[in-house]
Amino acid sequence: MSIKNISAFCCLFNNLSTLEKDSSHVCTGLRIFLLIFSLTVILIIPSHTLIAHSQSENGNLSSDTPNIDAKHIFDTKTAVLGNDIKNLFILIPDEAHHGNGEAKENRFIEQSFLPQNVIINKGTNVIWFSGDVSHEHRIIINNDESLFDSGVLPEYSASNPMVFNTVGNFGYYSPDIDQEAVQKGFVMRGDIKAIDQPNKLNTNPNANVESVGVFMVPTKDIDDYTKDFTEKGFSIESTYSFKDLRGIARDTGSEQTMLVWTAGPSMTTDMITSALEDIGSKLPYK
């Protein structure tokens, strides 16, 4: 019990003693009830307040708890990584260069990047992988080419890693998008929040995970793609299938699956990039 709580208890006891002397009509049972209730207020409530305050001082643990579930990423456009993750691969999905103001069949999903927003631990490497067929992209952070400029990313290629050694918020975008989208004010944009996480925040405490990423594949062939990923050394963390914005498209059906993969330390970023290039080249996106 803190000094502040002891002082409050003493004050309460004195008040109850006065009540006993001046109010003989108050029964002993009522005095006992008031004493127990007041002790609960003094001792328990401050402890909850202290826990909430502690969580706030440690980076808002409740909102920054790791979450790489595929449905969560689809619904919130956000992934939260634990501090066990050293490498994050952000996917530029096929037709991501089309914006909201265009005909809906021009793209599959209403996200320019998968995940579009992410919370990472300080020191994480972020790598952008382009799955946008027949289009080239560049990634620029904080509108500052001197801070990071990926250079030209053709389809199924990856950027050099960008390591986020500083805590803060970083916006990134791709300036190379469809001109019709530009005219309608569309920007391919995402956000990265780098925080200093406590040691206990692991993405998956039961697995030896070092790298994580998101991929999009046609749902009708999900079993084949899942097998391809696992044979190349990945683990499938979660999947979520959704009706795409295009509707029925040639060779892809009308439903796509967001697939969250993970990899252990035995897979280097070069090995991961090579495997993703091979898988991507087999996709039916045009």
Side-chain angles (χ1 to χ4, degrees), residues 194-219:
I195 63 176
D196 196 1
Q197 296 171 324
N199 292 332
K200 64 181 180 180
L201 290 183
N202 293 329
T203 300
N204 187 342
N206 300 317
N208 189 17
V209 175
E210 190 170 274
S211 302
V212 64
V214 181
F215 224 69
M216 186 179 76
V217 300
T219 303

Side-chain angles (χ1 to χ4, degrees), residues 20 33 96-97 142 166 207 211 214 247 269:
E20 181 179 1
F33 170 78
H97 56 282
N142 282 0
T166 305
S211 302
V214 181
T269 55

Side-chain angles (χ1 to χ4, degrees), residues 85-116:
I85 299 300
K86 294 182 172 59
N87 307 300
L88 166 66
F89 281 75
I90 295 177
L91 175 71
I92 305 174
D94 190 36
E95 308 294 2
H97 56 282
H98 290 294
N100 289 333
E102 299 176 86
K104 66 179 181 180
E105 65 267 23
N106 284 334
R107 60 178 178 167
F108 293 94
I109 188 171
E110 195 175 349
Q111 295 189 46
S112 300
F113 302 94
L114 300 178
Q116 186 156 314

Side-chain angles (χ1 to χ4, degrees), residues 20-162:
E20 181 179 1
K21 294 176 181 178
D22 296 342
S23 305
S24 58
H25 62 281
V26 179
C27 68
T28 302
L30 177 58
R31 290 197 298 273
I32 293 174
F33 170 78
L34 290 173
L35 178 62
I36 294 173
F37 176 80
S38 300
L39 281 172
T40 302
V41 172
I42 291 171
L43 297 176
I44 297 178
I45 292 179
S47 68
H48 287 296
T49 303
L50 178 62
I51 291 172
H53 180 65
S54 175
Q55 287 182 335
S56 177
E57 288 183 341
N58 285 285
N60 193 6
L61 302 187
S62 59
S63 64
D64 294 345
T65 300
N67 193 331
I68 58 171
D69 178 71
K71 185 179 187 303
H72 174 80
I73 295 174
F74 180 86
D75 290 339
T76 67
K77 302 183 181 181
T78 301
V80 183
L81 308 187
N83 62 8
D84 54 334
I85 299 300
K86 294 182 172 59
N87 307 300
L88 166 66
F89 281 75
I90 295 177
L91 175 71
I92 305 174
D94 190 36
E95 308 294 2
H97 56 282
H98 290 294
N100 289 333
E102 299 176 86
K104 66 179 181 180
E105 65 267 23
N106 284 334
R107 60 178 178 167
F108 293 94
I109 188 171
E110 195 175 349
Q111 295 189 46
S112 300
F113 302 94
L114 300 178
Q116 186 156 314
N117 309 302
V118 64
I119 298 175
I120 62 173
N121 191 47
K122 183 178 68 173
T124 302
N125 290 309
V126 177
I127 300 151
W128 284 265
F129 184 86
S130 180
D132 194 4
V133 179
S134 301
H135 287 85
E136 296 179 341
H137 288 277
R138 289 167 61 217
I139 302 297
I140 298 171
I141 296 177
N142 282 0
N143 203 30
D144 185 353
E145 296 179 14
S146 64
L147 179 63
F148 181 81
D149 184 349
S150 66
V152 176
L153 297 177
E155 62 181 72
Y156 305 127
S157 67
S159 71
N160 290 325
M162 168 65 181

Side-chain angles (χ1 to χ4, degrees), residues 2 5 22 39 49-50 98 105 116 118 129 131 147 165 179 186 199 220 224 228 233 243 245 247 250 257 262 267 286:
S2 68
N5 287 344
D22 296 342
L39 281 172
T49 303
L50 178 62
H98 290 294
E105 65 267 23
Q116 186 156 314
V118 64
F129 184 86
L147 179 63
N165 283 322
Q179 287 305 304
F186 172 69
N199 292 332
K220 66 185 186 67
D224 293 336
D228 207 0
K243 293 290 184 180
L245 297 176
R250 183 179 62 182
T257 294
T262 57
M267 290 188 73
K286 305 295 183 181

